[in-house]
Amino acid sequence: MKSIHETRNEINQLDQQVSKLLKERFLLLDKVLEYKILKEEQIENLQREKEVIENIASGSDKYDYHLKEIYHKIVEQSKSYQWHLLLKENIYIIGFMAVGKTTLGKTLSQKIQWEFLDTDLSIEEREQRKVKDIFKESGEDYFRDLEAKVIQDIHEDWIRDNDKKIIACGGGVILNPENVRTMKKNGVIVYLEGDINTIYNRISLNDSRPLLSEAKDLKRRVETLLESRQNLYREIADITLFVGEETPKELVGSLIQELEHYERKRSLSE
Ligand SMILES: Nc1ncnc2c1ncn2[C@@H]1O[C@H](COP(=O)(O)OP(=O)(O)OP(=O)(O)O)[C@@H](O)[C@H]1O
Ligand SMILES: O=C(O)C1=C[C@@H](O)[C@@H](O)[C@H](O)C1
Ligand SMILES: [Mg+2]
């Protein structure tokens, strides 16, 4: 009988072969992506995914369940790899308070497996206090300086490591032109546009927003603030996504389609 040492050596050798083959498989994806860009096909192709998994496991032996699980992961990573190749910059999600930036950003991050950062949460972590308390105790200017610092840090990560993230921005990030210039240098800007009723309904779920907390007529205050910012959001957006009845998953589907279209156009014009 083989010793455990010999058996483990054999496993190690097989793992070397598997990882070499997987690398070769990834290399072929560069060609697949070239084809998809040319033919304007989307990276995700559910029919092809089904075929790949059926090809590898017919369901007739005791390893099939495990092989399928492994292949689901391979397919997921194959898509993630292609999105990394195609999408070359940070993805900034901007828009009015409560329109759904954080929800969309997190859902997109799960789908394409990129790191997610929320500028408001990042500030709260640094300060160890809530945005509402920062406004109350230190003032809006202090908060805006912290916000600009977060945008600058994202830029530095990008320069240093070519690190790509999905960033849900605070509603007022775009008020500082320096933030906008920096975001434009390293990212694609997605404006999540909602109508007043959708926004107002979502705002009503949570009353912790400092710029709204003193308002006597909340809906009027939201309307005025939205009107004063709407054009700026629209002007700086590379992609605009309208928010209505769609679930976060549906919105992510549309966003990926728009992002792929945007990057495809750019890569063909380079
Ligand atoms: N697609 C959606 N459908 C229904 N409800 C949603 C959707 N997206 C977000 N919401 C809800 O709307 C509210 C605000 O969402 P979210 O926190 O993502 O918005 P935000 O733009 O990040 O807001 P904030 O101004 O706090 O940063 C939450 O209660 C969330 O569950
Ligand atoms: O719209 C705004 O100006 C703000 C939006 C929030 O995300 C927070 O960044 C803060 O409450 C200010
Ligand atoms: Mg948010």
Side-chain angles (χ1 to χ4, degrees), residues 196 200 215 217-227:
I196 174 73
Y200 178 71
D217 180 347
L218 180 60
K219 190 155 185 186
R220 188 70 209 117
R221 169 81 177 132
V222 170
E223 225 162 11
T224 314
L225 207 52
L226 181 61
E227 272 165 21

Side-chain angles (χ1 to χ4, degrees), residues 96-103 120 202 205 209 246-248 251:
F96 201 77
M97 288 174 249
V99 73
K101 303 175 296 290
T102 301
T103 308
D120 287 337
R202 291 184 188 174
L205 299 172
R209 295 179 176 85
E246 303 84 355
T247 63
L251 274 175

Side-chain angles (χ1 to χ4, degrees), residues 89-92 94 180 183-191 232-241 255 258-259 261-263 265-266:
E89 306 174 297
N90 289 304
I91 300 168
Y92 290 99
I94 62 165
V180 177
M183 288 155 69
K184 284 270 177 200
K185 276 191 219 158
N186 63 42
V188 48
I189 301 185
V190 178
Y191 172 36
L232 190 53
Y233 286 132
R234 286 177 179 161
E235 255 168 45
I236 65 173
D238 297 303
I239 292 172
T240 298
L241 210 60
L255 177 52
E258 293 287 339
L259 285 167
H261 180 67
Y262 176 84
E263 290 291 351
K265 250 181 33 199
R266 231 174 40 161

